[in-house]
Amino acid sequence: MPSEHTQHRQSSHAVDETISVLLVEDNDGDARLFKHHINTDRSAAFPAATVTHVKTLDAALAELENSTCDIVLLDLGLPRSSGVDTLESFNKEMLERTEIDMIPVVVLTGLEDDQTAIEAIERGAQDYLIKDDVNRKILNRTIRYAIERHTQEQKLRQEKERFEKFANVVSHDLRNPLTVAKSHVETIDHDDLDPVERNLDRMEEIIEDVLTLARTGQEATELT
């Protein structure tokens, strides 16, 4: 998920708060069952929820443009879309519509397919539910965990962005005086300047290490 998007609710939900769920499901029977689990049959520890039900991806995106929600339950078998391609289409549309905040997605399917489950998680889904296995406890827990994981992921992403900006500023502010100092040292031929040159080179290495750490998450060659 791209860094320019941020979740519209950063804090975890308290029990007395209301969760907004967007259910994308073309089967009315399955939709009624999910709404029953979420609203009527919920546990005492699960917050009250409002469920908006739509039957197509287009309807889901239109709904997200006009209102916010905390989580999307996405059926993988929809009109004109099936399997992991449904999730891919949803993600692509979300990325292109920069005015819509990224939202955690739990995918739903009527098929028990471990490979599809793995692919869905790899492509950004928070979780994967097989409809026949879903009950109140599983659904409630899945929704809560998906929202919390997404919140923590967004926080980590924002922290990484702040660190990258800091590293770039530090690099710029250090490189300029470093370049000036090295250019002057190079014009002076004296053995006493060897330690100065070595330390200037070391400063440049540290700057490169900070940028490497910020941009790739890799360990710097030496942490001091």
Side-chain angles (χ1 to χ4, degrees):
M1 294 186 178
S3 59
E4 66 266 24
H5 293 293
T6 56
Q7 186 189 22
H8 66 278
R9 297 188 185 183
Q10 293 295 334
S11 59
S12 301
H13 282 273
V15 175
D16 58 350
E17 291 182 338
T18 299
I19 290 177
S20 176
V21 179
L22 177 60
L23 174 61
V24 189
E25 170 61 70
D26 65 331
N27 185 297
D28 288 331
D30 288 339
R32 283 194 297 271
L33 182 61
F34 277 97
K35 287 197 286 188
H36 174 79
H37 286 324
I38 293 171
N39 288 321
T40 309
D41 198 28
R42 68 185 180 89
S43 67
F46 187 76
T50 60
V51 181
T52 301
H53 173 217
V54 296
K55 295 185 177 183
T56 66
L57 280 180
D58 290 341
L61 292 165
E63 180 66 30
L64 290 173
E65 286 181 346
N66 297 317
S67 61
T68 59
C69 77
D70 297 296
I71 190 166
V72 174
L73 302 182
L74 178 65
D75 182 18
L76 291 183
L78 295 173
R80 301 190 303 277
S81 182
S82 63
V84 180
D85 289 342
T86 302
L87 177 61
E88 282 285 285
S89 297
F90 179 81
N91 287 339
K92 181 181 178 181
E93 290 290 339
M94 289 289 288
L95 293 177
E96 292 176 353
R97 304 183 186 210
T98 56
E99 72 279 5
I100 303 178
D101 292 341
M102 294 305 295
I103 300 166
V105 177
V106 172
V107 296
L108 314 171
T109 181
L111 302 175
E112 189 166 353
D113 184 346
D114 291 339
Q115 185 58 40
T116 299
I118 292 172
E119 289 184 22
I121 300 301
E122 289 176 344
R123 300 188 190 191
Q126 286 291 340
D127 214 332
Y128 178 96
L129 291 176
I130 299 170
K131 294 180 184 180
D132 289 343
D133 294 341
V134 173
N135 55 37
R136 177 205 61 169
K137 291 182 179 179
I138 291 175
L139 185 58
N140 288 186
R141 183 173 64 245
T142 298
I143 289 174
R144 287 302 300 271
Y145 288 0
I147 291 174
E148 183 59 31
R149 279 195 301 271
H150 181 75
T151 299
Q152 297 306 318
E153 288 170 1
Q154 292 297 100
K155 288 180 179 179
L156 288 173
R157 193 169 291 116
Q158 290 173 357
E159 289 173 3
K160 185 175 185 297
E161 290 173 2
R162 286 195 293 269
F163 183 56
E164 287 176 348
K165 291 178 181 178
F166 167 76
N168 287 329
V169 169
V170 169
S171 171
H172 179 270
D173 289 349
L174 288 179
R175 278 190 193 281
N176 285 344
L178 182 62
T179 300
V180 172
K182 291 186 72 172
S183 65
H184 283 281
V185 167
E186 290 170 358
T187 63
I188 303 173
D189 186 13
H190 197 287
D191 291 340
D192 290 341
L193 292 177
D194 286 345
V196 177
E197 290 181 337
R198 287 198 301 272
N199 281 280
L200 289 174
D201 290 339
R202 178 60 186 138
M203 284 180 64
E204 191 164 15
E205 290 176 4
I206 292 172
I207 292 172
E208 289 298 329
D209 287 346
V210 170
L211 289 175
T212 298
L213 188 64
R215 290 171 179 167
T216 68
Q218 298 174 356
E219 289 188 3
T221 55
E222 183 179 343
L223 299 177
T224 305

